[in-house]
Amino acid sequence: MVYIVVILVVLVADLIIKAKILEIPEAGFPIEKFKGKVKIVRTFNEGMAANVLDEDPAKVKKISSLVLVIFLILSLPLFFSKKGRINRKLGAALIIGGALSNVADRCIRGKVVDYIQFNMDKSDRMERMTYNIADFSIFIGTVLYMINSDSKKSKKNNKK
């Protein structure tokens, strides 16, 4: 099934990149790309997005694991349905792959390795935030999941 491949590609790619980032000596950072607009750095996030609950990493691990399991259980019927819903299925696969990578990080290291930072010159807050491939996968997956991919339903609603 193509969606299992998507999950595995996101999971494995992000974990490999995280391992490579951890091998680079601290003096090797930051690595600037695109004229300094993108930086490869190494930071650790013990909390959730925007460092929420970073003072309680054990609670974050439990919450993120529970949310992942619930989302997996709720997504199973979607993957086995024969109806199209391609955006929703792809979105769910991206979310699961990204969440699995970050949860694996929490279980292995007790924190998530982040490594991509954007320098937009106008936003100091944006420059302080750091991401990884799993984060982008979760974001893109959420957008796709929310897009109505059932064309019959869309056409039906447009006729009313």
Side-chain angles (χ1 to χ4, degrees):
M1 185 185 286
V2 71
Y3 302 108
I4 292 173
V5 173
V6 170
I7 291 168
L8 291 175
V9 166
V10 170
L11 172 65
V12 172
D14 191 50
L15 290 176
I16 289 171
I17 293 169
K18 288 172 179 175
K20 295 292 183 190
I21 291 294
L22 291 171
E23 291 175 1
I24 299 171
E26 189 62 39
F29 293 105
I31 301 167
E32 294 190 1
K33 301 289 181 184
F34 306 106
K35 297 180 182 178
K37 297 294 181 191
V38 177
K39 294 179 186 175
I40 307 301
V41 297
R42 180 175 54 221
T43 63
F44 300 98
N45 186 354
E46 294 184 32
M48 297 173 135
N51 293 328
V52 172
L53 289 175
D54 63 344
E55 71 283 350
D56 196 350
K59 185 183 274 185
V60 172
K61 182 163 74 170
K62 289 176 187 172
I63 292 169
S64 55
S65 297
L66 180 65
V67 169
L68 172 60
V69 168
I70 291 169
F71 188 77
L72 265 168
I73 292 168
L74 294 175
S75 296
L76 283 176
L78 174 66
F79 290 122
F80 291 107
S81 72
K82 298 206 189 249
K83 292 184 180 178
R85 297 185 179 175
I86 294 169
N87 288 341
R88 187 158 284 209
K89 290 176 183 177
L90 180 58
L94 288 168
I95 293 167
I96 291 166
L100 276 171
S101 179
N102 282 343
V103 167
D105 238 12
R106 290 187 193 292
C107 292
I108 295 166
R109 297 181 183 88
K111 53 194 166 198
V112 173
V113 178
D114 289 326
Y115 48 84
I116 301 170
Q117 207 171 58
F118 297 100
N119 180 8
M120 300 299 170
D121 294 330
K122 296 178 183 175
S123 174
D124 186 45
R125 178 185 162 122
M126 183 71 164
E127 190 171 339
R128 288 191 316 262
M129 297 189 70
T130 312
Y131 309 91
N132 57 41
I133 297 299
D135 297 334
F136 294 125
S137 179
I138 292 167
F139 175 76
I140 293 166
T142 301
V143 171
L144 286 173
Y145 190 86
M146 301 306 284
I147 293 173
N148 184 356
S149 64
D150 186 353
S151 59
K152 289 181 184 177
K153 187 176 181 181
S154 295
K155 289 177 185 174
K156 189 176 185 180
N157 287 339
N158 287 338
K159 288 181 183 180
K160 288 183 179 180

